[in-house]
Amino acid sequence: MYSYKSKISAVDLYIDKQINQTRKSLMKIIYIILVTLISSTFVSCNGQTKSSSANVLKRNGNEIGKVVDKLSDSIWYVYQDKMDNYWFASNGQGVFRYDGKTLMNYTTQDGLANDTIRMIKEDRLGNIYFSNMDGINQFDGKKIITLKPIESKEWRLDSNDLWFCILGRRDEHGPYRFDGKNLYHHEFPKHFLQDSFYKKGINPFFSPYEVYSIYKDRKGHIWFGTSVFGACRYDGKSVSWMFEHDLTIVPNGGSFGIRSIYEDKNGDYWFCNTLHRYRMQFDNTGDNGKLKYSKTAGIGNAEIFGGDDYIYYSHIVEDNKGSIWLTTWSQGVYQYDGAQISHYDVKDGTKDINLVSMYKDNRGVLWLGTPENGVYKFNGKSFEKFKPNL
């Protein structure tokens, strides 16, 4: 905006004339710029629903993330989005995105609340979400924001909702639900073992309600595996509990927690170890919200499992052929095809690799996350270390 003093003189009139001409020129330029911006925005909005994994990743006019030439050694989880981009969740170095050509790394410098990533999910519009030690982030392909949770006792169930947990943060007491607009934090109702648990003087670092795993069964009901209080099921109407000592407490007395839940094609449920399978009686829930069920024999024996009558597994995945895969911490991976059990070692040279997770991608390929040896991928015969083709 121009300011000037008005005087009745030939010089001043000449100056006024020049200024007016300049203003008109500036107005034309501004008009052209506005039309261009509006047109660009319109085109951008029309293409925005394609995916959050668009090639243009900008915030405030600057590209976010940085191109790197290798993954972190500590990759806990793998995820593939609708556009077939791979996302790798690290334990302290943010999240990595690989599109087949370029490997990008996003950290707190780009908007993440924390660089320790615990979960990756995608919504219907292609937005990517990261659960980390300090909250839930949303990435729309251009910017990363932190969602602010709303405390709510009103549980709801919708097929489009996304459910999250924050594994490893002290005093967590329930899951997070995102309905597309708001992020809600739900607190679990009181567990029937809570009073006796605290009377024993047990004061764990993590809350006994902390969510270790989230699973949607074949009916669309949501299950939560907790650190101490077993498995919790929400069917859209009520929250029910299941607790078995051997599922939570390992033989040496340590707490394993419900790290994996799975419903097979026969309707039987698998929880954490191979000792039993469970047939649930959902129409016959007992007092205090206790789920009722019957047990059937599990799979395997000491000969198959290297001297153990049964094994604990952190992740369970069904492949495209119907076989079930079980991921252990230090004993590799087991495959069960309904009749036979096969064992796969996972090694770095001659060294056995510890495993955190397993994931099946869009093409049915199995991936493994590890605490200190990067990512492994199944080649049809064995698990081999994955290196991006850069």
Side-chain angles (χ1 to χ4, degrees):
M1 181 178 180
Y2 296 93
S3 69
Y4 58 95
K5 295 181 180 180
S6 179
K7 295 183 179 179
I8 306 300
S9 68
V11 175
D12 290 326
L13 289 175
Y14 174 79
I15 294 174
D16 283 349
K17 182 178 180 180
Q18 294 299 312
I19 291 175
N20 286 332
Q21 290 177 348
T22 304
R23 282 177 172 174
K24 290 179 181 180
S25 299
L26 286 172
M27 291 301 293
K28 287 181 180 180
I29 295 171
I30 292 171
Y31 175 78
I32 294 171
I33 292 173
L34 286 174
V35 170
T36 303
L37 287 174
I38 292 171
S39 299
S40 300
T41 303
F42 179 75
V43 172
S44 175
C45 289
N46 281 343
Q48 197 171 24
T49 59
K50 187 174 182 179
S51 174
S52 69
S53 304
N55 291 327
V56 181
L57 304 174
K58 294 185 177 181
R59 182 185 63 186
N60 296 331
N62 300 315
E63 292 187 1
I64 68 170
K66 64 179 179 180
V67 178
V68 294
D69 58 6
K70 65 178 181 178
L71 287 168
S72 165
D73 289 331
S74 184
I75 298 293
W76 279 31
Y77 303 102
V78 180
Y79 182 83
Q80 188 178 25
D81 65 26
K82 298 171 185 175
M83 299 295 288
D84 292 336
N85 299 301
Y86 286 99
W87 298 83
F88 302 97
S90 81
N91 187 42
Q93 293 184 343
V95 64
F96 295 80
R97 173 184 175 270
Y98 178 58
D99 63 3
K101 297 179 180 179
T102 304
L103 183 64
M104 298 289 294
N105 181 215
Y106 304 96
T107 66
T108 53
Q109 294 181 353
D110 306 298
L112 288 177
N114 191 289
D115 286 333
T116 301
I117 311 299
R118 288 293 180 256
M119 185 176 288
I120 303 176
K121 291 193 175 185
E122 181 180 15
D123 67 17
R124 293 178 298 167
L125 300 178
N127 298 309
I128 306 296
Y129 297 81
F130 313 110
S131 167
N132 56 65
M133 294 293 285
D134 285 315
I136 312 296
N137 286 121
Q138 180 193 67
F139 185 26
D140 66 0
K142 296 181 180 179
K143 63 182 181 301
I144 298 174
I145 63 172
T146 300
L147 302 176
K148 295 182 179 180
I150 300 172
E151 297 295 329
S152 175
K153 295 182 179 180
E154 296 183 10
W155 288 59
R156 294 186 179 181
L157 186 62
D158 185 278
S159 59
N160 294 317
D161 287 349
L162 299 179
W163 294 83
F164 301 93
C165 62
I166 300 179
L167 178 62
R169 188 165 75 173
R170 190 176 178 86
D171 296 328
E172 283 295 298
H173 196 91
Y176 296 80
R177 178 177 62 87
F178 184 67
D179 66 1
K181 294 182 179 180
N182 297 308
L183 178 69
Y184 298 95
H185 180 223
H186 298 304
E187 186 172 311
F188 286 125
K190 182 179 178 180
H191 193 277
F192 55 85
L193 291 177
Q194 176 178 303
D195 292 340
S196 61
F197 178 82
Y198 286 112
K199 282 182 180 179
K200 294 179 181 179
I202 301 175
N203 184 25
F205 180 82
F206 301 130
S207 163
Y209 291 97
E210 183 186 18
V211 179
Y212 272 16
S213 59
I214 299 177
Y215 173 72
K216 181 183 288 188
D217 66 21
R218 296 174 187 265
K219 292 184 179 179
H221 301 153
I222 301 295
W223 290 78
F224 308 98
T226 70
S227 61
V228 174
F229 284 158
C232 173
R233 171 183 177 261
Y234 176 55
D235 62 2
K237 297 179 181 179
S238 60
V239 176
S240 305
W241 292 97
M242 172 197 176
F243 178 82
E244 282 283 325
H245 185 273
D246 69 272
L247 296 181
T248 295
I249 309 299
V250 296
N252 64 9
S255 175
F256 188 79
I258 306 296
R259 298 179 184 271
S260 56
I261 303 170
Y262 170 73
E263 180 188 8
D264 65 24
K265 60 185 178 181
N266 298 318
D268 292 329
Y269 281 79
W270 300 55
F271 300 92
C272 297
N273 70 48
T274 59
L275 183 61
H276 295 109
R277 283 173 283 185
Y278 298 82
R279 178 56 58 92
M280 311 306 295
Q281 301 170 11
F282 294 127
D283 296 332
N284 190 24
T285 303
D287 297 334
N288 296 323
K290 291 183 181 180
L291 286 171
K292 292 188 177 182
Y293 48 86
S294 59
K295 298 180 182 180
T296 60
I299 62 171
N301 53 45
E303 181 179 355
I304 292 174
F305 296 139
D308 296 324
D309 292 328
Y310 58 96
I311 59 166
Y312 284 81
Y313 49 87
S314 59
H315 274 69
I316 179 170
V317 172
E318 180 181 345
D319 68 19
N320 289 351
K321 295 181 179 180
S323 292
I324 292 173
W325 296 74
L326 309 172
T327 304
T328 70
W329 170 252
S330 59
Q331 296 171 261
V333 177
Y334 291 90
Q335 177 195 19
Y336 175 62
D337 64 5
Q340 302 293 325
I341 298 176
S342 303
H343 179 246
Y344 295 86
D345 287 320
V346 183
K347 294 180 176 291
D348 183 6
T350 59
K351 176 185 175 183
D352 289 327
I353 300 302
N354 293 329
L355 308 175
V356 175
S357 68
M358 175 179 282
Y359 176 74
K360 182 177 74 171
D361 70 15
N362 299 342
R363 295 179 177 83
V365 178
L366 300 179
W367 298 72
L368 300 173
T370 79
E372 54 189 19
N373 290 92
V375 182
Y376 280 72
K377 181 180 179 181
F378 191 61
N379 61 18
K381 295 181 179 180
S382 63
F383 288 92
E384 60 183 3
K385 191 163 186 177
F386 171 72
K387 295 181 180 180
N389 184 22
L390 303 174

